[in-house]
Amino acid sequence: AQKITQTQPGMFVQEKEAVTLDCTYDTSDPSYGLFWYKQPSSGEMIFLIYQGSYDQQNATEGRYSLNFQKARKSANLVISASQLGDSAMYFCAMRDMSGNQFYFGTGTSLTVIP
Amino acid sequence: EPEVTQTPSHQVTQMGQEVILRCVPISNHLYFYWYRQILGQKVEFLVSFYNNEISEKSEIFDDQFSVERPDGSNFTLKIRSTKLEDSAMYFCASSEAADLNTGELFFGEGSRLTVL
């Protein structure tokens, strides 16, 4: 079964607008971590934001925020005030209690339109 | 800022040849990983390594693959006899201890392997 599901293969957003990238996850572990990574066309994987399953507050990092809805098992990434440099692939990932593996979604390709 | 470094950045090899991809994880990290990404596709887990042994491996990580931490700093992935379908970007990653509150995965910039 898919551990991480990203249902949007591609998204477009106007520059300076906000965009939400969807992510749902599946785990029976009581404790887990959720991550978002950005992969620009150059190929490297850049960490953006982290949410722990026991965190009460939604994580925020600058223009990135994570809309964590535990009951719905969703961890959507919100990018505010989109910039042209935000155009990239975005991957949602989860680390389970064993810590032995990070599970990645299939990614969402975001294109910011000037 | 500490970072994971990988070499080579790009390697072209003939089918059937052995390839070794090298990684230097962040020095105080304890968990090490190899992932691969076939062009345009998802990031696939290969293997995780902790305390000098494999802690988990995927179905992809068959007998053709091996990992080693030969000297306490390098973490290598060896493919014994490469196949065309091994062409991919291979990412090394490392993480601090298994505390989920600090367990961010730090990636290297990747090694692109092209098998001809």
Side-chain angles (χ1 to χ4, degrees):
Chain A
Q2 284 281 8
K3 291 275 189 176
I4 295 285
T5 301
Q6 293 180 253
T7 58
Q8 307 154 312
M11 290 282 286
F12 291 87
V13 64
Q14 204 74 40
E15 193 178 7
K16 299 180 185 174
E17 297 292 310
V19 64
T20 298
L21 306 183
D22 294 342
C23 173
T24 57
Y25 60 91
D26 180 26
T27 183
S28 55
D29 285 354
S31 183
Y32 48 89
L34 297 159
F35 304 79
W36 277 92
Y37 286 85
K38 172 183 178 182
Q39 187 179 41
S41 56
S42 50
E44 72 266 35
M45 295 285 278
I46 302 167
F47 166 75
L48 295 178
I49 195 167
Y50 164 81
Q51 178 85 44
S53 59
Y54 287 116
D55 292 343
Q56 297 294 321
Q57 306 270 4
N58 284 344
T60 60
E61 286 285 347
R63 295 187 297 111
Y64 304 108
S65 60
L66 202 151
N67 183 2
F68 180 48
Q69 298 187 46
K70 194 171 182 177
R72 298 178 63 181
K73 292 190 174 179
S74 74
N76 299 338
L77 176 70
V78 180
I79 305 174
S80 62
S82 297
Q83 300 172 357
L84 295 178
D86 294 335
S87 293
M89 281 291 285
Y90 289 80
F91 290 94
C92 180
M94 178 177 68
R95 186 181 195 183
D96 63 14
M97 278 182 69
S98 73
N100 290 332
Q101 187 174 156
F102 281 67
Y103 302 91
F104 283 82
T106 51
T108 295
S109 176
L110 177 67
T111 302
V112 180
I113 304 166
Chain B
E1 184 175 323
E3 59 182 14
V4 177
T5 57
Q6 289 186 243
T7 54
S9 56
H10 189 194
Q11 180 158 357
V12 181
T13 190
Q14 294 288 329
M15 190 170 57
Q17 294 296 304
E18 176 182 283
V19 161
I20 297 176
L21 305 179
R22 292 183 168 80
C23 170
V24 180
I26 295 173
S27 61
N28 64 331
H29 284 187
L30 300 177
Y31 287 75
F32 314 115
Y33 307 80
W34 282 101
Y35 284 81
R36 80 172 186 190
Q37 185 182 31
I38 295 170
L39 187 63
Q41 298 187 24
K42 67 185 291 186
V43 180
E44 299 176 295
F45 170 74
L46 292 178
V47 65
S48 58
F49 193 87
Y50 171 70
N51 200 26
N52 285 321
E53 61 183 22
I54 291 173
S55 44
E56 191 165 342
K57 59 183 181 180
S58 71
E59 295 173 351
I60 303 167
F61 195 87
D62 60 21
D63 292 344
Q64 292 299 315
F65 291 89
S66 62
V67 289
E68 199 175 36
R69 190 159 161 79
D71 56 12
S73 61
N74 289 287
F75 178 52
T76 61
L77 174 70
K78 182 193 289 187
I79 310 173
R80 287 191 183 82
S81 178
T82 50
K83 304 187 286 287
L84 295 176
E85 53 265 37
D86 293 328
S87 294
M89 179 76 94
Y90 287 80
F91 288 102
C92 174
S94 70
S95 175
E96 286 185 273
D99 179 357
L100 290 174
N101 291 322
T102 59
E104 173 192 336
L105 197 62
F106 290 81
F107 283 88
E109 294 194 342
S111 292
R112 182 167 296 285
L113 176 65
T114 302
V115 182
L116 302 176

Coordinates of all heavy atoms in Angstrom, one line a residue, chain A residues 34-104:
Chain A
L34 N 6.8 14.0 9.2 CA 6.4 14.3 7.8 C 7.3 15.4 7.3 O 7.6 16.4 8.0 CB 4.9 14.8 7.8 CG 3.9 13.7 8.2 CD1 2.6 14.3 8.6 CD2 3.8 12.7 7.1
F35 N 7.7 15.3 6.1 CA 8.7 16.2 5.5 C 8.2 16.7 4.1 O 7.6 15.9 3.4 CB 10.1 15.6 5.4 CG 10.6 15.0 6.6 CD1 10.1 13.8 7.1 CD2 11.6 15.7 7.3 CE1 10.7 13.2 8.3 CE2 12.1 15.1 8.5 CZ 11.7 13.9 9.0
W36 N 8.7 17.8 3.7 CA 8.6 18.3 2.3 C 9.9 18.6 1.8 O 10.7 19.3 2.5 CB 7.6 19.5 2.2 CG 6.2 19.1 2.1 CD1 5.3 19.0 3.2 CD2 5.4 18.8 1.0 NE1 4.1 18.7 2.8 CE2 4.1 18.5 1.4 CE3 5.7 18.7 -0.4 CZ2 3.1 18.2 0.5 CZ3 4.7 18.4 -1.3 CH2 3.4 18.1 -0.8
Y37 N 10.2 18.2 0.6 CA 11.5 18.5 -0.1 C 11.2 19.1 -1.5 O 10.2 18.8 -2.1 CB 12.3 17.2 -0.3 CG 12.9 16.7 0.9 CD1 12.2 15.8 1.8 CD2 14.2 17.0 1.3 CE1 12.8 15.3 3.0 CE2 14.8 16.5 2.4 CZ 14.1 15.7 3.3 OH 14.7 15.2 4.4
K38 N 12.1 20.0 -1.9 CA 12.0 20.6 -3.2 C 13.1 20.1 -4.1 O 14.2 20.0 -3.6 CB 12.1 22.1 -3.0 CG 12.2 23.0 -4.3 CD 12.4 24.4 -3.9 CE 12.6 25.3 -5.2 NZ 12.8 26.7 -4.8
Q39 N 12.8 19.8 -5.3 CA 13.8 19.3 -6.2 C 13.7 20.2 -7.5 O 12.9 20.0 -8.4 CB 13.6 17.8 -6.6 CG 14.7 17.3 -7.5 CD 14.6 15.8 -7.8 OE1 13.5 15.4 -8.1 NE2 15.7 15.1 -7.8
P40 N 14.6 21.2 -7.6 CA 14.7 22.0 -8.8 C 15.2 21.2 -10.0 O 15.6 20.0 -9.8 CB 15.6 23.1 -8.4 CG 16.4 22.7 -7.2 CD 15.6 21.6 -6.6
S41 N 15.2 21.8 -11.1 CA 15.7 21.1 -12.3 C 17.1 20.6 -12.2 O 17.5 19.7 -12.9 CB 15.4 22.0 -13.6 OG 16.1 23.2 -13.4
S42 N 17.9 21.3 -11.4 CA 19.3 20.9 -11.2 C 19.4 19.5 -10.5 O 20.5 18.9 -10.5 CB 20.0 21.9 -10.4 OG 19.3 22.3 -9.3
G43 N 18.3 19.0 -9.9 CA 18.3 17.7 -9.4 C 18.5 17.5 -7.9 O 18.2 16.4 -7.3
E44 N 19.1 18.5 -7.2 CA 19.3 18.2 -5.7 C 18.0 18.2 -5.0 O 17.0 18.8 -5.4 CB 20.3 19.3 -5.2 CG 19.7 20.7 -5.0 CD 20.0 21.6 -6.2 OE1 20.0 21.0 -7.3 OE2 20.2 22.8 -6.0
M45 N 18.0 17.6 -3.8 CA 16.8 17.6 -2.9 C 17.0 18.5 -1.8 O 18.0 18.4 -1.0 CB 16.7 16.1 -2.4 CG 16.4 15.1 -3.4 SD 14.7 15.2 -4.0 CE 13.8 14.3 -2.8
I46 N 16.2 19.5 -1.7 CA 16.3 20.5 -0.7 C 15.2 20.4 0.4 O 14.0 20.4 0.0 CB 16.2 21.9 -1.3 CG1 17.3 22.0 -2.4 CG2 16.3 23.0 -0.3 CD1 17.0 23.2 -3.4
F47 N 15.6 20.3 1.6 CA 14.6 20.2 2.7 C 13.9 21.5 2.9 O 14.5 22.6 2.9 CB 15.3 19.8 4.0 CG 14.5 20.0 5.2 CD1 13.5 19.1 5.5 CD2 14.7 21.0 6.1 CE1 12.7 19.2 6.7 CE2 13.9 21.2 7.2 CZ 12.9 20.3 7.5
L48 N 12.6 21.4 3.0 CA 11.8 22.6 3.2 C 11.2 22.7 4.6 O 11.3 23.8 5.3 CB 10.6 22.6 2.2 CG 11.0 22.7 0.7 CD1 9.7 22.7 -0.1 CD2 11.8 24.0 0.5
I49 N 10.5 21.7 5.1 CA 9.7 21.8 6.3 C 9.5 20.5 6.9 O 9.4 19.5 6.2 CB 8.4 22.6 6.0 CG1 7.8 23.1 7.3 CG2 7.5 21.8 5.2 CD1 6.7 24.1 7.0
Y50 N 9.3 20.4 8.2 CA 9.1 19.2 9.0 C 7.9 19.4 9.9 O 7.7 20.4 10.5 CB 10.3 18.9 9.8 CG 10.1 17.8 10.8 CD1 10.1 16.5 10.5 CD2 9.9 18.2 12.2 CE1 9.9 15.5 11.5 CE2 9.7 17.3 13.1 CZ 9.7 15.9 12.8 OH 9.4 15.0 13.8
Q51 N 7.1 18.3 10.1 CA 6.0 18.3 11.0 C 6.1 16.9 11.8 O 6.1 15.9 11.2 CB 4.7 18.4 10.3 CG 3.5 18.3 11.2 CD 3.1 19.7 11.8 OE1 3.1 20.7 11.1 NE2 2.8 19.7 13.1
G52 N 6.2 17.0 13.1 CA 6.1 15.8 13.9 C 4.7 15.4 14.2 O 3.8 16.3 14.4
S53 N 4.4 14.2 14.4 CA 3.0 13.7 14.5 C 2.4 14.2 15.9 O 1.2 14.3 16.0 CB 2.9 12.2 14.5 OG 3.7 11.6 15.5
Y54 N 3.3 14.5 16.8 CA 2.7 15.0 18.1 C 2.8 16.5 18.2 O 2.4 17.1 19.3 CB 3.5 14.4 19.3 CG 3.2 12.9 19.5 CD1 4.2 11.9 19.3 CD2 1.9 12.5 19.8 CE1 3.9 10.6 19.4 CE2 1.6 11.2 20.0 CZ 2.6 10.2 19.8 OH 2.3 8.9 20.0
D55 N 3.3 17.2 17.2 CA 3.3 18.6 17.3 C 1.9 19.2 17.3 O 1.1 18.8 16.4 CB 4.1 19.2 16.1 CG 5.6 18.9 16.1 OD1 6.0 18.5 17.2 OD2 6.2 19.0 15.1
Q56 N 1.7 20.1 18.2 CA 0.3 20.7 18.3 C 0.1 21.8 17.3 O -1.0 22.0 16.8 CB 0.1 21.3 19.7 CG 0.2 20.3 20.8 CD -1.0 19.3 20.7 OE1 -2.1 19.7 20.4 NE2 -0.7 18.0 21.0
Q57 N 1.2 22.5 17.0 CA 1.1 23.6 16.0 C 1.5 23.1 14.6 O 2.4 22.3 14.5 CB 2.1 24.7 16.4 CG 1.9 25.2 17.9 CD 0.9 26.4 17.9 OE1 0.3 26.7 16.9 NE2 0.7 26.9 19.1
N58 N 0.9 23.7 13.6 CA 1.4 23.5 12.2 C 2.7 24.2 12.0 O 3.0 25.3 12.5 CB 0.4 24.1 11.2 CG -0.9 23.3 11.1 OD1 -0.9 22.1 11.5 ND2 -1.9 23.8 10.5
A59 N 3.6 23.4 11.3 CA 5.0 23.9 11.1 C 4.9 25.1 10.1 O 4.2 25.1 9.2 CB 5.9 22.8 10.6
T60 N 5.8 26.0 10.3 CA 6.0 27.1 9.4 C 7.5 27.4 9.2 O 8.3 27.3 10.2 CB 5.3 28.4 9.8 OG1 5.9 28.8 11.1 CG2 3.8 28.2 10.0
E61 N 7.9 27.7 8.0 CA 9.3 28.1 7.7 C 9.2 29.1 6.6 O 9.1 28.8 5.4 CB 10.1 26.9 7.2 CG 10.5 25.8 8.2 CD 11.6 26.3 9.1 OE1 12.3 27.3 8.8 OE2 11.8 25.6 10.1
G62 N 9.3 30.4 7.0 CA 9.3 31.5 6.1 C 8.0 31.4 5.3 O 6.9 31.5 5.8
R63 N 8.1 31.3 3.9 CA 6.9 31.3 3.1 C 6.2 29.9 3.0 O 5.2 29.7 2.4 CB 7.2 31.7 1.7 CG 7.7 33.2 1.6 CD 7.9 33.6 0.1 NE 8.9 32.8 -0.5 CZ 8.7 32.0 -1.5 NH1 7.5 31.7 -1.9 NH2 9.7 31.3 -2.1
Y64 N 6.8 28.9 3.7 CA 6.3 27.6 3.7 C 5.5 27.3 5.0 O 6.0 27.6 6.1 CB 7.4 26.5 3.5 CG 8.2 26.7 2.3 CD1 9.6 27.2 2.4 CD2 7.8 26.5 1.0 CE1 10.4 27.3 1.3 CE2 8.6 26.6 -0.1 CZ 9.9 27.1 0.1 OH 10.6 27.2 -1.0
S65 N 4.4 26.7 4.9 CA 3.7 26.2 6.0 C 3.1 24.9 5.7 O 2.8 24.6 4.6 CB 2.6 27.2 6.5 OG 1.6 27.4 5.5
L66 N 2.9 24.1 6.8 CA 2.3 22.8 6.6 C 1.0 22.7 7.2 O 0.9 23.0 8.5 CB 3.3 21.7 7.2 CG 3.2 20.3 6.7 CD1 4.6 19.6 6.8 CD2 2.2 19.5 7.4
N67 N 0.0 22.4 6.5 CA -1.4 22.3 7.0 C -1.6 20.8 7.4 O -1.9 20.0 6.6 CB -2.4 22.7 5.9 CG -3.8 22.7 6.4 OD1 -4.1 22.3 7.6 ND2 -4.8 23.0 5.6
F68 N -1.4 20.6 8.7 CA -1.4 19.2 9.2 C -2.7 18.9 9.8 O -3.2 19.5 10.8 CB -0.3 19.0 10.3 CG -0.2 17.7 10.9 CD1 -0.1 16.5 10.1 CD2 -0.1 17.6 12.3 CE1 0.0 15.3 10.7 CE2 0.1 16.3 12.9 CZ 0.1 15.2 12.1
Q69 N -3.4 17.9 9.2 CA -4.7 17.4 9.7 C -4.6 16.0 10.1 O -4.7 15.1 9.2 CB -5.8 17.7 8.7 CG -5.9 19.2 8.4 CD -7.1 19.5 7.6 OE1 -8.2 19.0 7.8 NE2 -6.9 20.3 6.5
K70 N -4.3 15.7 11.3 CA -3.9 14.3 11.7 C -5.0 13.3 11.5 O -4.8 12.2 11.1 CB -3.5 14.4 13.2 CG -2.8 13.1 13.7 CD -2.2 13.3 15.0 CE -1.4 12.1 15.5 NZ -0.8 12.4 16.9
A71 N -6.2 13.7 11.8 CA -7.4 12.8 11.7 C -7.6 12.4 10.3 O -8.0 11.3 10.0 CB -8.6 13.5 12.3
R72 N -7.3 13.3 9.4 CA -7.5 13.1 7.9 C -6.2 12.5 7.3 O -6.2 12.2 6.1 CB -7.9 14.4 7.2 CG -9.2 14.9 7.7 CD -9.6 16.2 7.0 NE -9.7 16.1 5.6 CZ -10.0 17.1 4.7 NH1 -10.2 18.3 5.2 NH2 -10.2 16.8 3.4
K73 N -5.2 12.4 8.1 CA -3.9 12.0 7.6 C -3.4 12.7 6.4 O -3.1 12.2 5.3 CB -3.9 10.5 7.3 CG -4.1 9.6 8.6 CD -3.9 8.1 8.3 CE -3.9 7.4 9.7 NZ -3.8 5.9 9.5
S74 N -3.5 14.0 6.5 CA -3.0 14.9 5.4 C -2.0 15.9 6.0 O -2.0 16.3 7.1 CB -4.2 15.6 4.8 OG -4.6 16.7 5.6
A75 N -1.1 16.2 5.1 CA 0.0 17.1 5.4 C 0.3 18.0 4.2 O 1.4 17.8 3.6 CB 1.3 16.3 5.8
N76 N -0.6 18.9 3.9 CA -0.4 19.7 2.7 C 0.6 20.8 2.9 O 0.6 21.5 4.0 CB -1.8 20.3 2.3 CG -2.8 19.2 2.0 OD1 -2.5 18.1 1.7 ND2 -4.1 19.6 2.1
L77 N 1.3 21.1 1.9 CA 2.3 22.2 1.9 C 1.6 23.5 1.3 O 1.1 23.4 0.2 CB 3.5 21.8 1.1 CG 4.6 22.9 0.9 CD1 5.3 23.2 2.3 CD2 5.6 22.6 -0.1
V78 N 1.7 24.6 2.0 CA 1.2 25.8 1.5 C 2.4 26.7 1.2 O 3.3 27.0 2.1 CB 0.3 26.5 2.5 CG1 -0.2 27.8 1.9 CG2 -0.9 25.6 2.8
I79 N 2.5 27.2 0.0 CA 3.6 28.2 -0.3 C 2.9 29.5 -0.5 O 2.0 29.6 -1.4 CB 4.3 27.8 -1.6 CG1 4.9 26.4 -1.5 CG2 5.5 28.8 -1.9 CD1 5.6 25.9 -2.7
S80 N 3.2 30.5 0.2 CA 2.6 31.8 0.1 C 3.5 32.7 -0.8 O 4.7 32.5 -0.9 CB 2.4 32.5 1.5 OG 3.7 32.7 2.1
A81 N 2.9 33.7 -1.4 CA 3.6 34.7 -2.2 C 4.6 34.0 -3.2 O 5.8 34.2 -3.1 CB 4.3 35.7 -1.3
S82 N 4.1 33.1 -4.1 CA 4.9 32.3 -4.9 C 5.9 33.2 -5.7 O 5.6 34.3 -6.2 CB 4.1 31.5 -5.9 OG 3.2 30.6 -5.2
Q83 N 7.1 32.6 -5.9 CA 8.1 33.3 -6.7 C 8.5 32.4 -7.9 O 8.3 31.2 -7.8 CB 9.4 33.5 -5.8 CG 9.1 34.4 -4.6 CD 10.3 34.5 -3.6 OE1 11.3 33.8 -3.8 NE2 10.1 35.3 -2.6
L84 N 9.1 33.0 -8.9 CA 9.5 32.2 -10.1 C 10.4 31.0 -9.7 O 10.4 29.9 -10.3 CB 10.1 33.1 -11.1 CG 9.2 34.1 -11.7 CD1 10.0 35.0 -12.7 CD2 8.0 33.5 -12.4
G85 N 11.3 31.3 -8.7 CA 12.2 30.3 -8.3 C 11.6 29.1 -7.5 O 12.3 28.1 -7.2
D86 N 10.3 29.2 -7.3 CA 9.6 28.1 -6.6 C 9.3 27.0 -7.6 O 8.8 25.9 -7.2 CB 8.3 28.6 -5.9 CG 8.6 29.5 -4.8 OD1 9.7 29.4 -4.2 OD2 7.7 30.4 -4.4
S87 N 9.4 27.3 -8.9 CA 9.1 26.2 -9.9 C 10.0 25.1 -9.7 O 11.3 25.2 -9.8 CB 9.3 26.8 -11.3 OG 8.3 27.8 -11.6
A88 N 9.5 23.9 -9.4 CA 10.3 22.7 -9.1 C 9.3 21.6 -8.9 O 8.1 21.7 -8.9 CB 11.1 23.0 -7.9
M89 N 9.9 20.4 -8.6 CA 9.2 19.2 -8.1 C 9.2 19.3 -6.6 O 10.2 19.7 -6.0 CB 9.9 17.9 -8.6 CG 9.6 17.5 -10.0 SD 7.9 17.0 -10.2 CE 7.9 15.4 -9.4
Y90 N 8.1 18.9 -6.0 CA 7.9 18.9 -4.6 C 7.5 17.5 -4.1 O 6.6 17.0 -4.6 CB 6.9 20.0 -4.1 CG 7.4 21.4 -4.3 CD1 7.3 22.0 -5.5 CD2 7.9 22.1 -3.2 CE1 7.8 23.3 -5.7 CE2 8.4 23.4 -3.4 CZ 8.4 24.0 -4.6 OH 8.8 25.2 -4.8
F91 N 8.3 17.0 -3.2 CA 8.0 15.7 -2.7 C 7.7 15.7 -1.2 O 8.3 16.4 -0.4 CB 9.3 14.8 -2.8 CG 9.6 14.4 -4.2 CD1 10.5 15.2 -4.9 CD2 9.0 13.4 -4.8 CE1 10.9 14.9 -6.3 CE2 9.4 13.0 -6.1 CZ 10.3 13.8 -6.8
C92 N 6.6 15.0 -0.9 CA 6.2 14.8 0.5 C 6.8 13.5 0.9 O 6.9 12.5 0.1 CB 4.7 14.7 0.5 SG 4.0 14.4 2.2
A93 N 7.2 13.4 2.2 CA 7.9 12.2 2.7 C 7.5 12.0 4.1 O 7.1 12.9 4.9 CB 9.4 12.3 2.6
M94 N 7.6 10.7 4.5 CA 7.3 10.4 5.9 C 8.3 9.4 6.5 O 8.8 8.6 5.8 CB 5.9 9.6 6.0 CG 5.5 9.2 7.4 SD 3.9 8.4 7.4 CE 4.2 6.9 6.5
R95 N 8.7 9.7 7.7 CA 9.6 8.8 8.4 C 8.8 8.1 9.5 O 8.2 8.7 10.3 CB 10.8 9.6 9.0 CG 11.8 8.7 9.6 CD 12.9 9.5 10.2 NE 14.1 8.7 10.5 CZ 15.2 9.2 11.1 NH1 15.3 10.4 11.5 NH2 16.2 8.4 11.3
D96 N 8.9 6.8 9.5 CA 8.1 6.0 10.5 C 9.0 5.8 11.8 O 10.1 6.3 11.9 CB 7.6 4.7 10.0 CG 8.8 3.8 9.6 OD1 9.9 4.0 10.0 OD2 8.5 2.8 8.9
M97 N 8.4 5.1 12.8 CA 9.1 5.0 14.1 C 10.4 4.3 14.0 O 11.3 4.5 14.8 CB 8.1 4.2 15.0 CG 7.1 5.1 15.7 SD 6.0 4.2 16.8 CE 7.2 3.9 18.1
S98 N 10.5 3.3 13.1 CA 11.8 2.6 13.0 C 12.9 3.5 12.6 O 14.1 3.2 12.9 CB 11.7 1.4 12.1 OG 11.7 1.9 10.7
G99 N 12.6 4.6 11.9 CA 13.6 5.5 11.4 C 14.4 4.9 10.3 O 15.3 5.5 9.7
N100 N 14.1 3.6 9.9 CA 14.9 3.0 8.9 C 14.6 3.4 7.5 O 15.4 3.2 6.6 CB 14.7 1.5 8.9 CG 15.3 0.9 10.2 OD1 16.3 1.4 10.7 ND2 14.8 -0.2 10.6
Q101 N 13.5 4.1 7.3 CA 13.2 4.4 5.9 C 12.3 5.7 5.9 O 11.5 5.9 6.8 CB 12.4 3.3 5.3 CG 12.1 3.5 3.8 CD 11.4 2.3 3.1 OE1 10.8 2.5 2.1 NE2 11.5 1.1 3.7
F102 N 12.6 6.5 4.9 CA 11.7 7.6 4.5 C 10.9 7.1 3.3 O 11.5 6.6 2.4 CB 12.5 8.8 4.1 CG 13.1 9.6 5.3 CD1 14.1 9.0 6.1 CD2 12.6 10.9 5.6 CE1 14.6 9.8 7.2 CE2 13.2 11.6 6.6 CZ 14.1 11.0 7.5
Y103 N 9.6 7.3 3.4 CA 8.7 7.0 2.3 C 8.4 8.3 1.5 O 8.0 9.3 2.1 CB 7.5 6.4 2.8 CG 7.7 5.1 3.6 CD1 7.8 5.2 5.0 CD2 7.7 3.9 3.0 CE1 8.0 4.1 5.7 CE2 7.9 2.7 3.8 CZ 8.0 2.8 5.1 OH 8.2 1.7 5.9
F104 N 8.6 8.3 0.2 CA 8.4 9.4 -0.6 C 7.1 9.3 -1.5 O 6.8 8.2 -1.9 CB 9.6 9.7 -1.6 CG 10.7 10.3 -0.9 CD1 11.6 9.6 -0.1 CD2 10.9 11.7 -0.9 CE1 12.7 10.1 0.5 CE2 12.0 12.3 -0.3 CZ 12.9 11.5 0.4

